[in-house]
Amino acid sequence: MANSSRRVNSTRSDYYRGQSYISGNTVRKLDEMPQRHEPGRGRKAQPSRAGRAVSVSTQKNRMKATQMSRGYVLFLALISIITLFLCVSYLQRRAELTSQLQAMARQESELSTLKADNDALYNTVMASVDLESVKNTAINKLGMQYPTEEQIVTYDTAGNSYVRQYQDVPGTE
C-alpha cells in the first residue's frame, strides 16, 4: 500500500531516469527490430509492432487487404482514362478560347486603327473644303439664290422626325 501511495504522489522528476524519458504508462524499448516473417516458412505467428503475436489467418487477411482485384484495377483505369480525356478536352477548349480572344483583340485593334484613320481623313477633307468658295461658285457661276419666304413650305410631321417627299410639292411650278 505504501508503494501505491508513493506512485500517486510522484512528481515529474520521477519519470526522468538516466537518458530515457518515460511517456505514459508503457515503456518503449529502444533499438528493437521486429522479426520479419517470410511467407512459406512455417506457420509461426509473427510478432506485431506492439510485441503481440499475430495469427497466420490475420496475416493472410492483411495480405488480401493490400492486394487489388482486377475489377478495381479496371475501374481505376477507366476513371483515369475518363479524367485524362476530360483534362485534354478542357485544355483544347481553353486553347481555342484563348486563340479566339486573341483574334478578337486583333480585330478590335484593327477597327480602332481604321476608325482613327477615317476620322483623320474626314477632318482633312473637311479642312480642305472652303465653304466661301463653294458659296461664290453656286451664286456667281451657277446662278443660285437663297430661297424667299414664299418659296418655303412647311409641313406638320405629326411626331415623325422627318418628311419624305414622294411627289412634287403643289404650287411650285
Side-chain angles (χ1 to χ4, degrees):
M1 192 72 160
N3 234 1
S4 65
S5 66
R6 190 181 79 171
R7 284 188 186 156
V8 171
N9 294 330
S10 65
T11 62
R12 225 170 230 242
S13 63
D14 291 339
Y15 288 111
Y16 186 74
R17 292 184 173 78
Q19 293 188 0
S20 63
Y21 179 74
I22 301 171
S23 172
N25 61 356
T26 60
V27 177
R28 293 181 184 92
K29 294 179 183 178
L30 301 177
D31 299 330
E32 182 179 315
M33 292 290 292
Q35 295 178 359
R36 299 283 179 194
H37 174 69
E38 295 178 16
R41 292 196 155 217
R43 293 189 168 249
K44 274 199 288 186
Q46 176 184 0
S48 68
R49 290 184 189 151
R52 295 184 301 251
V54 177
S55 70
V56 175
S57 64
T58 305
Q59 291 174 8
K60 285 182 181 179
N61 287 340
R62 286 182 182 169
M63 291 295 287
K64 285 181 183 178
T66 58
Q67 295 176 354
M68 292 188 282
S69 67
R70 281 188 178 164
Y72 186 63
V73 171
L74 289 176
F75 171 73
L76 288 178
L78 181 66
I79 294 298
S80 298
I81 290 171
I82 291 172
T83 304
L84 180 66
F85 174 75
L86 290 175
C87 289
V88 168
S89 176
Y90 170 75
L91 290 175
Q92 287 176 341
R93 295 285 196 290
R94 185 72 178 175
E96 183 180 322
L97 178 66
T98 302
S99 65
Q100 287 177 352
L101 288 175
Q102 288 174 349
M104 189 171 68
R106 273 194 309 273
Q107 288 177 347
E108 285 178 352
S109 174
E110 184 180 346
L111 176 65
S112 64
T113 303
L114 289 174
K115 280 185 177 181
D117 290 346
N118 191 28
D119 290 344
L121 289 173
Y122 178 76
N123 290 335
T124 303
V125 167
M126 293 308 288
S128 68
V129 173
D130 183 21
L131 295 179
E132 283 298 317
S133 67
V134 171
K135 179 181 173 184
N136 285 337
T137 303
I139 293 174
N140 297 331
K141 290 184 179 177
L142 301 175
M144 297 177 87
Q145 310 174 21
Y146 282 106
T148 61
E149 284 295 324
E150 64 253 3
Q151 292 176 325
I152 298 175
V153 179
T154 58
Y155 291 94
D156 185 20
T157 60
N160 291 335
S161 61
Y162 59 92
V163 175
R164 291 187 181 160
Q165 182 178 346
Y166 293 109
Q167 60 185 3
D168 291 335
V169 178
T172 59
E173 296 177 6

